[in-house]
Amino acid sequence: ILLLCTFGIASPQPSCGESWGTLRGRFVYDGEPPVAQKANVNKDTDVCGKSPLVVEDLLVDPSGGVANIGIWLVSKKVSEHPDYAGVPESVVVLDNKNCRFEPYLGVVRVGQTLRMRNSDPVTHNVNGGSFRKNTPFNDNLPPEASVDKVFQGEERLGVPLSCGSHGWMKSYLLVKETPYITVSREDGTFEIPNLPAGETLEFKTWHAPSGYITEPS
């Protein structure tokens, strides 16, 4: 069971004639924190066996913090901070490194560039066959190769990505319009800055094996 703790808007700070606040919180696991299981590394072991790889579906730190939970704003017609105007020029990187995807749960905005990169000395494959609003893909990535993607539509759920060459490798991608989105850190904490203060805001939270988290406490 996942619980949401210390969830609230920090004191708003004036900016550009309006007030803005930061949402901070932490996702924690209710009960004894589970131990991550070792991944079944059964190919290219001379390279992939060098790192202690684990199944990343549910990563809980010793204090109970849960990593890789996405949280984003779903309220419509809210004020948007000037820093978020337009499509971000920054490039989001999904790296194949040490025979795992980094990050496990990535975030990219509609119209922003996602760069899929291979930093390993072995060939990887990135299979994104479950997109609904965007074109599915299945790209091979030789060592040092990269390929860019730009998504034109928002995906409702996190889209699974996998490596056809290495069965233990998988990750997820959140493709959203809103700039107000983030992913919980290793200790379960998160923050979303520059939210409009004084407005009613609704958020959704999503975790790969759990789906939407609808009843936090």
Side-chain angles (χ1 to χ4, degrees), residues 14-147:
S15 173
C16 301
E18 297 186 68
S19 294
W20 309 93
T22 297
L23 177 70
R24 294 188 177 94
R26 183 173 184 240
F27 293 98
V28 298
Y29 189 83
D30 182 22
E32 186 70 20
V35 177
Q37 300 299 306
K38 186 177 179 180
N40 180 23
V41 179
N42 54 14
K43 186 177 180 180
D44 293 324
T45 54
D46 56 329
V47 173
C48 300
K50 293 180 178 179
S51 301
L53 300 175
V54 299
V55 178
E56 299 183 64
D57 288 350
L58 178 59
L59 294 182
V60 183
D61 79 353
S63 68
V66 184
N68 298 319
I69 296 179
I71 177 169
W72 65 91
L73 180 71
V74 295
S75 301
K76 305 298 183 182
K77 298 181 179 180
V78 299
S79 302
E80 191 169 291
H81 194 276
D83 288 354
Y84 297 147
V87 176
E89 296 181 359
S90 58
V91 174
V92 174
V93 175
L94 174 69
D95 204 356
N96 293 253
K97 187 174 183 180
N98 298 323
C99 297
R100 63 177 294 272
F101 287 114
E102 173 58 42
Y104 174 80
L105 178 59
V107 171
V108 64
R109 291 181 62 188
V110 170
Q112 188 177 19
T113 298
L114 172 73
R115 178 161 298 154
M116 303 187 303
R117 183 174 66 195
N118 182 8
S119 297
D120 283 336
V122 296
T123 296
H124 288 298
N125 163 270
V126 184
N127 187 336
S130 298
F131 285 89
R132 295 291 180 264
K133 300 297 183 178
N134 299 279
T135 303
F137 56 83
N138 189 8
D139 293 329
N140 286 325
L141 288 178
E144 306 302 323
S146 66
V147 62

Side-chain angles (χ1 to χ4, degrees), residues 195-215:
L195 286 159
E199 299 187 25
T200 300
L201 303 176
E202 180 184 356
F203 296 84
K204 280 190 176 180
T205 55
W206 185 86
H207 185 235
S210 308
Y212 287 124
I213 302 171
T214 57
E215 296 181 0

